[in-house]
Amino acid sequence: MSQTIQFYPKKTVLTHSKAVNLTALPPLALYIHVPWCVKKCPYCDFNSHELKNDVSDIEADYVNALLVDLEHALPLVWGRRLVSIFIGGGTPSVLSVHAIERLLSGVRARLPFVSDIEITMEANPGTLDNAKLKGFRDAGVNRISLGVQSFDDGLLKRIGRIHSGAQARAALDTAYQLFDKVNLDIMFALPEQTLEQLQSDVRTALTYAPTHLSYYHMTIEPNTYFHRYPPKVPDDELALDMQAFIEQALEDSGMRHYEVSAYAKAGHESHHNTNYWQFGDYVGIGAGAHSKISAHDGIIRQARYKHPQRYLDAVAQGDAVETFEQLSAQALPFEFMLNALRLRDGVTVADFYASTGLGLMDLQPALEKAQAQGLMEKQADVLRVTDLGWRFLSDVQTLFLNDSP
Ligand SMILES: C[S@@+](CC[C@H](N)C(=O)[O-])C[C@H]1O[C@@H](n2cnc3c(N)ncnc32)[C@H](O)[C@@H]1O
Ligand code: SF4
């Protein structure tokens, strides 16, 4: 039975005239943030902090806080089943097997799961051994996302990783023995990386016959060490050659470039990330985590306090939510398209209606401009970016932003 939930914004940010009206609710996912790493990487602007103490001193309190945080969020999602869980970070694999067991059994006791739920955990090869990976699997994790970044020892050192290429390969060997679903995170355009080094990384990755791979262009982000002390990175032309090689090699191996940075064999796409890109719902718990939750009469976004200690204190005081926003119907075309445009197969007008309550008319002005510029196409019910639009994605997104109020 469906229900109508009333949201009472405590820290209301926005109010708008046109109301949201949904006939059904989208799939619901859970994101759990673990904000610690062994060492902060110089390129990384994620909400991650170097572990100063032994993790055993803090993990029990953090898992308790996550479960209390989840409990506070339950009234927003009563009666709904989780389709996926993503334990991300930071580096969740710094936690012990016992902590992950307690976390997942605590989540299971509070929210029902669909029978084929995808439970992903991010892991850094420098924090793993066979027993630990097996323990995570036995605790319920069924998909591992390994932060490989490169297999080249020199490059790994240059980007401040705590592991070697051999450790990355050993972690992959074990992951493939234990898990049906494994993702590799790799980056390109690394400091002073040559095309030959990139080709060697791609070829090594392909020896594992991966079913899912996320290949990111390393960006220099504000508030990182690399922003303060910029390394020499490949120029745009070389980066484009690298991107072209990656696309060709992965597609030749049977993977599809289904999202800007994601490649998968058919049927192995990440459920959790696809839910984000399709404007599905997610509850985010943990330091700095974001939520997007629909009810029949409204869609909200929330963000938790970012600093781990501030987050723990806020949970203890009864509310970890720092910002709260009720989305207006006028904002939804941009909110929806921002993510949907990332999907190579695009989205249908029916998907847009199901998750926003709006129709094609509400997308029309930006869509027409994008079509006129050859950036998007509409075939029957499907809206997707063209090859040109794919290359200039932020321009396409801007068209939808400019048409929102
Ligand atoms: C939370 S981390 C993954 C797990 C773990 N912390 C690790 O690094 O092994 C998520 C991924 O984001 C990517 N990433 C982080 N910073 C990036 C940047 N500046 N540019 C591109 N990709 C980045 C990396 O590939 C990284 O594996
Ligand atoms: S890339 Fe991963 S290991 Fe490195 S600081 Fe970021 S979250 Fe931590």
Side-chain angles (χ1 to χ4, degrees):
M1 201 181 74
S2 66
Q3 58 183 337
T4 300
I5 299 165
Q6 284 289 325
F7 294 117
Y8 297 104
K10 297 158 288 161
K11 299 148 193 168
T12 304
V13 181
L14 295 174
T15 46
H16 296 277
S17 49
K18 193 172 170 189
V20 174
N21 187 5
L22 303 181
T23 49
L25 298 178
L28 178 71
L30 176 68
Y31 174 75
I32 304 174
H33 192 76
V34 178
W36 295 292
C37 296
V38 175
K39 180 171 167 275
K40 184 79 185 174
C41 302
Y43 54 85
C44 178
D45 76 337
F46 283 67
N47 183 25
S48 59
H49 304 261
E50 211 157 293
L51 266 172
K52 298 269 187 284
N53 308 318
D54 195 307
V55 74
S56 59
D57 295 343
I58 46 177
E59 64 176 14
D61 287 346
Y62 194 71
V63 170
N64 291 342
L66 288 171
L67 295 176
V68 172
D69 187 4
L70 178 61
E71 229 150 68
H72 290 158
L74 290 181
L76 299 175
V77 294
W78 283 134
R80 298 175 66 183
R81 282 176 187 276
L82 286 180
V83 299
S84 63
I85 300 176
F86 194 100
I87 312 173
T91 305
S93 53
V94 295
L95 299 185
S96 67
V97 168
H98 178 63
I100 296 293
E101 269 165 6
R102 234 169 42 81
L103 175 60
L104 287 178
S105 60
V107 172
R108 194 184 287 275
R110 287 162 180 81
L111 268 175
F113 295 0
V114 298
S115 58
D116 60 346
I117 188 167
E118 174 187 278
I119 304 182
T120 305
M121 181 170 147
E122 286 188 322
N124 181 317
T127 60
L128 292 175
D129 57 38
N130 206 317
K132 214 170 173 186
L133 262 178
K134 189 167 179 307
F136 293 145
R137 184 198 63 182
D138 294 345
V141 174
N142 55 25
R143 183 171 181 270
I144 279 285
S145 177
L146 265 187
V148 169
Q149 320 310 349
S150 172
F151 294 98
D152 182 301
D153 285 340
L155 288 172
L156 287 169
K157 199 158 180 222
R158 218 169 281 157
I159 61 168
R161 297 292 292 180
I162 58 168
H163 58 87
S164 63
Q167 276 173 297
R169 286 192 293 273
L172 275 170
D173 287 337
T174 314
Y176 278 108
Q177 278 164 24
L178 294 171
F179 293 87
D180 291 336
K181 299 183 198 171
V182 178
N183 169 57
L184 286 75
D185 276 349
I186 310 186
M187 295 193 295
F188 71 99
L190 300 173
E192 292 172 51
Q193 186 177 28
T194 63
L195 187 58
E196 291 68 33
Q197 285 172 322
L198 174 281
Q199 290 170 338
S200 165
D201 267 355
V202 174
R203 291 192 183 108
T204 306
L206 287 176
T207 61
Y208 292 91
T211 49
H212 197 285
L213 218 155
S214 304
Y215 225 121
Y216 300 108
H217 186 157
M218 192 195 80
T219 51
I220 304 288
E221 301 293 336
N223 301 317
T224 60
Y225 181 87
F226 275 177
H227 196 258
R228 285 190 295 283
Y229 305 99
K232 191 173 170 328
V233 289
D235 60 22
D236 288 351
E237 200 181 331
L238 177 53
L240 277 175
D241 288 347
M242 290 178 167
Q243 172 84 47
F245 181 85
I246 295 165
E247 277 175 23
Q248 193 61 53
L250 298 188
E251 280 174 13
D252 288 350
S253 80
M255 302 180 89
R256 282 196 65 237
H257 191 181
Y258 75 103
E259 187 269 345
V260 176
S261 306
Y263 299 77
K265 294 234 166 95
H268 292 269
E269 295 82 4
S270 150
H271 293 315
H272 188 84
N273 289 339
T274 302
N275 188 50
Y276 288 144
W277 299 322
Q278 292 179 337
F279 207 52
D281 279 359
Y282 47 93
V283 176
I285 56 172
H290 290 239
S291 304
K292 177 246 162 190
I293 306 170
S294 308
H296 290 285
D297 60 351
I299 300 178
I300 59 157
R301 287 197 184 283
Q302 299 176 328
R304 269 48 177 171
Y305 286 97
K306 213 169 159 194
H307 192 274
Q309 191 54 52
R310 181 74 188 86
Y311 168 77
L312 287 169
D313 294 344
V315 174
Q317 287 155 17
D319 188 3
V321 177
E322 182 178 28
T323 63
F324 179 105
E325 180 181 0
Q326 182 131 25
L327 296 182
S328 70
Q330 289 93 326
L332 294 181
F334 171 67
E335 293 273 344
F336 178 89
M337 291 310 269
L338 183 68
N339 290 314
L341 290 169
R342 298 175 64 96
L343 288 166
R344 197 68 185 98
D345 286 343
V347 282
T348 63
V349 177
D351 293 335
F352 178 62
Y353 172 70
S355 50
T356 62
L358 303 177
L360 185 59
M361 220 174 66
D362 299 285
L363 291 173
Q364 208 69 19
L367 181 61
E368 276 171 13
K369 279 182 214 152
Q371 281 177 299
Q373 293 173 35
L375 299 170
M376 280 188 77
E377 60 191 9
K378 178 174 177 304
Q379 281 171 352
D381 194 32
V382 181
L383 309 173
R384 70 164 78 82
V385 287
T386 58
D387 288 346
L388 184 68
W390 188 247
R391 280 181 24 221
F392 297 101
L393 200 58
S394 58
D395 293 350
V396 194
Q397 288 164 335
T398 307
L399 289 177
F400 287 91
L401 176 62
N402 290 343
D403 269 338
S404 62

